[in-house]
Amino acid sequence: AQSVTQPDIHITVSEGASLELRCNYSYGATPYLFWYVQSPGQGLQLLLKYFSGDTLVQGIKGFEAEFKRSQSSFNLRKPSVHWSDAAEYFCAVLSGGSYIPTFGRGTSLIVHP
Amino acid sequence: DGGITQSPKYLFRKEGQNVTLSCEQNLNHDAMYWYRQDPGQGLRLIYYSQIVNDFQKGDIAEGYSVSREKKESFPLTVTSAQKNPTAFYLCASQERETQYFGPGTRLLVL
């Protein structure tokens, strides 16, 4: 069965600092991988996704993520965080044979001025 | 504009009352989903539908019911059997592997 772990419940960064949010998945083959962002009281917005090909994926709002098969990871990065990036971030995985994604529990990003 | 709409944004339920949350999409997606979100618990799947007139229970279906009479619509009813309905409810539709979400409905109990 597919599973996804986001080890960090909260992450605090200063505005302008770089960011990396961790995501690890459990599945033998290469899954489909997603990152979503959720602002308070709103729905989830798709940031980026990886299906195959180049392991470095560019998304919206200046985010990128890198798929590392050897580490079963799909970490989200941003070189310079803005105060408006404060939100909840969810990693999701969809593996072969399933059509329903599994979501991580989310990481709450706090941005200090 | 194509998208997913949920209404109302806030909903208040009295004890013993059934309430219905609306979810509509004009993306022409076959699959639709309902999730419940509680603080610190991520998303939990309530019901999903892969095609019109067919739907399946998710992980926490007890106390909820759905219908899928039209491709565009997937309403969720929170019945009086759901003893702890206070939560944020998210509807999603899916195109192939990717899910897209509505803005959510917050359900509160009076």
Side-chain angles (χ1 to χ4, degrees), chain A residues 11-52:
Chain A
I11 290 282
T12 301
V13 299
S14 298
E15 190 169 15
S18 63
L19 171 70
E20 182 169 32
L21 301 182
R22 296 184 291 165
C23 174
N24 294 98
Y25 66 89
S26 174
Y27 183 67
T30 300
Y32 301 121
L33 296 157
F34 309 84
W35 275 102
Y36 290 85
V37 60
Q38 183 182 32
S39 296
Q42 298 187 24
L44 276 67
Q45 180 183 23
L46 181 67
L47 281 175
L48 48 78
K49 58 187 177 183
Y50 174 78
F51 291 173
S52 65

Side-chain angles (χ1 to χ4, degrees), chain A residues 32 34 36 38 41-46 49 51 88 90 94 99-101 103-106, chain B residues 9 33 35 37 40-43 45 48 50 88 90 94 97-103 106:
Chain A
Y32 301 121
F34 309 84
Y36 290 85
Q38 183 182 32
Q42 298 187 24
L44 276 67
Q45 180 183 23
L46 181 67
K49 58 187 177 183
F51 291 173
E88 190 88 13
F90 292 93
L94 181 66
Y99 46 81
I100 303 174
F103 287 83
R105 291 204 164 192
Chain B
K9 187 173 177 64
Y33 298 76
Y35 291 94
Q37 189 177 28
Q41 294 200 39
L43 278 67
L45 182 63
Y48 62 98
Q50 296 293 308
F88 191 55
L90 287 162
Q94 185 164 332
E97 301 84 5
T98 305
Q99 284 195 346
Y100 300 91
F101 287 81
R106 185 165 299 281

